[in-house]
Amino acid sequence: MSLTKTVYNLFFRRSANIALATVIGVFAYERIINKSAEYIYERRNQGKLWKHVQPQFKLKTDEDEEENSGS
Amino acid sequence: MAMQMCNRRVTQVTTNLVRQIAKPIPMKVEDDHHDDDHTHIAVPKTPTPRTFFSMNKHLLRGNAAITTGLSSALSVRHAHTDIQVPSFDYYRRKARLDASKSHRDDGDTTSPYSYLTPLGMAVTSAYMAKYIVRDIVSYVGPAKDVMSLAKVEISLDAVPEGKNAVFEWRNKPIFVRHRTAEEIAREEGVNVSQLRHPQNDSERVKKSEWLIVIGICTHLGCIPIANAGDYGGYYCPCHGSHYDASGRIRKGPAPLNLEVPQYTFKDEQTVIIG
């Protein structure tokens, strides 16, 4: 209960504080949205993206051939 | 819920509005079906209000409540004190039931949703505004690396005299020709008025020993061959357009001279095109 009171007095009492909270909220919101969207996308496409496939294309130094991921 | 039955004072009022009862006027009408004398009743038309003044007369003014129906008569009630506004206390918050108290400092007891919803909407719109402004600014003033994709810097050491070099600029071929003195003299001596696209050699080059043109034939877009053709310049093999050493069309179907792009000489040996 007192948490809401503190939040109110800190952020919502003055409109200038609301504006500040909005601006900070935009940056936080953007970062959260971008990170979570990327995470969900990579989860859905596990194994199909280049960053997942690339380790299989490393050159083996003891053998002179490249290993393919399989056709 | 909070319905109250109240005494209503009802006045039967008919305005000058509708239901003008017109007096029937007996009239004789020529009718083939009825041979005997029938009285045909014609009702004269009520005047339809067309002007602002006449329509204004039909308006009801003031507090009025109108009841009508199949069973009850048309009644218009001009109400002052007998209209009861019902009590909405059932829908109000407990804190707001008292109308005389000041609620200015009540913010901390308010439900947080009352403040979080507008804040959420503000954050979403600010997010959209940030992206829109960022896109507009990056479109109007692109970054230097984006701008640099439009230009190409050519070192002129690679082109010996008399030779034509081809460079790529914005996916188009650029002919850079290092002209010999006799070529320059020949081009400057050409009678400009006889040309299909009259252009002086001086207005096509900045330094006369360097001819820089876009190597696309102005007829249908093939790439001409350098040092070919009847005029010592270029020859387009597709339809046989002959250009001279200044890139001007001399013979063949092309309508215009080879296009000269914008370029500047950064120093004696390098040129920036675009």
Side-chain angles (χ1 to χ4, degrees), chain B residues 130-185:
Chain B
K130 175 177 178 250
Y131 268 80
I132 291 171
V133 169
R134 189 194 70 163
D135 287 346
I136 291 176
V137 168
S138 71
Y139 182 83
V140 171
K144 280 243 170 66
D145 59 344
V146 171
M147 288 292 283
S148 74
L149 289 173
K151 301 187 191 209
V152 69
E153 194 173 309
I154 298 177
S155 166
L156 295 172
D157 302 339
V159 189
E161 209 170 276
K163 284 280 189 296
N164 188 78
V166 184
F167 299 93
E168 196 214 355
W169 171 74
R170 292 186 193 172
N171 289 331
K172 292 185 242 215
I174 293 269
F175 291 160
V176 176
R177 193 194 186 105
H178 192 168
R179 301 200 290 187
T180 58
E182 49 177 74
E183 279 178 354
I184 299 171

Side-chain angles (χ1 to χ4, degrees), chain B residues 31-49:
Chain B
D31 205 343
D32 289 34
H33 295 284
H34 304 283
D35 283 334
D36 37 82
D37 278 346
H38 272 259
T39 311
H40 294 268
I41 293 178
V43 177
K45 286 192 276 216
T46 59
T48 53

Side-chain angles (χ1 to χ4, degrees), chain B residues 164 173-177 195-201 203-205 211-228 232-237 241-250 254-263:
Chain B
N164 188 78
I174 293 269
F175 291 160
V176 176
R177 193 194 186 105
L195 294 175
R196 180 177 306 163
H197 184 188
Q199 268 183 332
N200 247 321
D201 184 61
E203 55 191 73
R204 291 176 59 79
V205 291
L211 173 76
I212 300 176
V213 287
I214 297 180
I216 298 177
C217 179
T218 50
H219 177 230
L220 288 178
C222 292
I223 301 180
I225 302 172
N227 292 324
Y234 305 93
Y235 170 71
C236 179
S241 306
H242 297 258
Y243 299 88
D244 61 16
S246 182
R248 295 177 288 202
I249 181 66
R250 293 299 201 89
L256 300 169
N257 303 337
L258 292 176
E259 189 184 339
V260 178
Q262 242 186 359
Y263 59 90

Side-chain angles (χ1 to χ4, degrees), chain A residues 2-62:
Chain A
S2 74
L3 174 66
T4 51
K5 264 208 175 99
T6 7
V7 165
Y8 170 75
N9 284 326
L10 205 56
F11 288 117
F12 295 123
R13 212 185 158 88
R14 298 191 191 165
S15 51
N17 291 353
I18 292 181
L20 187 67
T22 312
V23 170
I24 294 175
V26 165
F27 289 105
Y29 178 71
E30 188 181 356
R31 193 164 160 80
I32 291 170
I33 292 274
N34 285 350
K35 286 278 183 220
S36 54
E38 281 172 21
Y39 177 72
I40 291 173
Y41 184 78
E42 282 171 17
R43 262 297 283 267
R44 291 268 309 183
N45 294 305
Q46 195 70 33
K48 297 186 208 164
L49 295 174
W50 172 243
K51 54 188 278 194
H52 307 141
V53 168
Q54 194 192 15
Q56 301 173 8
F57 283 90
K58 269 198 286 226
L59 276 171
K60 288 213 162 144
T61 46
D62 43 345

